[in-house]
Amino acid sequence: MDKQSQPVKLARESLTYYLEHGRFMDKPVELPENLQGRAGVFVSFKKEGQLRGCIGTFEPTQPSIAEEIIQNAVSAGTGDPRFSPIKLSELAELEISVDVLETPEQIDSIDDLEPKTYGVIVRNGRRSGLLLPDLEGVDTVTEQVSIAMQKAGIQAGKEIDLYRFTVTRYK
């Protein structure tokens, strides 16, 4: 098995601990620098190339990136309404990726987007939808914005505010 990045290792440990003990693990005492600051984090689980769970926060809700990963790994593994909760027996088969988000910036036009480089957040009133960058099968800005709008339940043609962000993706 190839050496996993710290964030991915932590996400796996977090979900494993939660499934074994029914509660969140404590954050590690020694935090590497890339887990110390505060940021939004998305944790994605895939099984045989298919999405199995993905939940995250686009703004920090926890005191550190490590704690954000711990919370979101459990949410993605047990609380994504699109999937049944992940079982302990499945964990070994799962591919995990962790995206640490940079602060989103508001943009004026979809011309400022590039789906391989930037993720997008669309907002209309209280509704908002987010799509991470560089996703398989999302090749155009139009597709990216359209999917984010669908996720938010925003009808096509509605006025939206656009935000873009970059991520550091760990596998």
Side-chain angles (χ1 to χ4, degrees):
M1 192 168 184
D2 56 6
K3 187 163 165 26
Q4 291 179 339
S5 66
Q6 256 332 99
V8 167
K9 195 167 166 261
L10 183 60
R12 186 178 295 276
E13 285 170 8
S14 171
L15 184 56
T16 304
Y17 187 91
Y18 185 84
L19 292 174
E20 288 174 344
H21 302 281
R23 58 188 166 84
F24 289 98
M25 66 182 274
D26 293 330
K27 86 170 192 217
V29 180
E30 293 290 315
L31 284 184
E33 200 170 316
N34 64 343
L35 297 181
Q36 287 175 8
R38 296 188 74 215
V41 169
F42 272 75
V43 177
S44 306
F45 294 103
K46 281 186 170 179
K47 186 175 183 176
E48 295 167 2
Q50 297 298 308
L51 193 62
R52 186 64 182 84
C54 176
I55 285 188
T57 44
F58 52 88
E59 290 170 339
T61 62
Q62 301 295 321
S64 71
I65 291 172
E67 289 157 287
E68 205 80 39
I69 292 171
I70 290 167
Q71 293 282 328
N72 292 346
V74 170
S75 296
T78 64
D80 188 328
R82 300 169 292 180
F83 304 97
S84 61
I86 290 171
K87 295 179 178 66
L88 202 51
S89 58
E90 288 180 89
L91 261 176
E93 306 167 47
L94 298 180
E95 284 171 58
I96 303 174
S97 65
V98 175
D99 288 307
V100 179
L101 280 62
E102 298 298 324
T103 305
E105 61 175 339
Q106 190 160 9
I107 54 174
D108 297 326
S109 154
I110 67 169
D111 299 337
D112 297 327
L113 287 170
E114 204 314 298
K116 296 288 177 230
T117 308
Y118 296 107
V120 67
I121 298 169
V122 297
R123 283 207 174 118
N124 173 286
R126 296 176 64 161
R127 293 177 181 261
S128 69
L130 178 146
L131 202 65
L132 294 168
D134 198 19
L135 295 177
E136 203 174 309
V138 180
D139 301 313
T140 69
V141 169
T142 314
E143 287 174 306
Q144 189 183 37
V145 171
S146 168
I147 293 167
M149 287 177 72
Q150 286 169 9
K151 286 174 81 171
I154 301 170
Q155 293 171 333
K158 289 275 190 202
E159 260 194 48
I160 52 171
D161 291 326
L162 285 171
Y163 300 80
R164 71 179 186 185
F165 59 90
T166 55
V167 301
T168 304
R169 179 164 292 160
Y170 298 94
K171 293 189 168 202

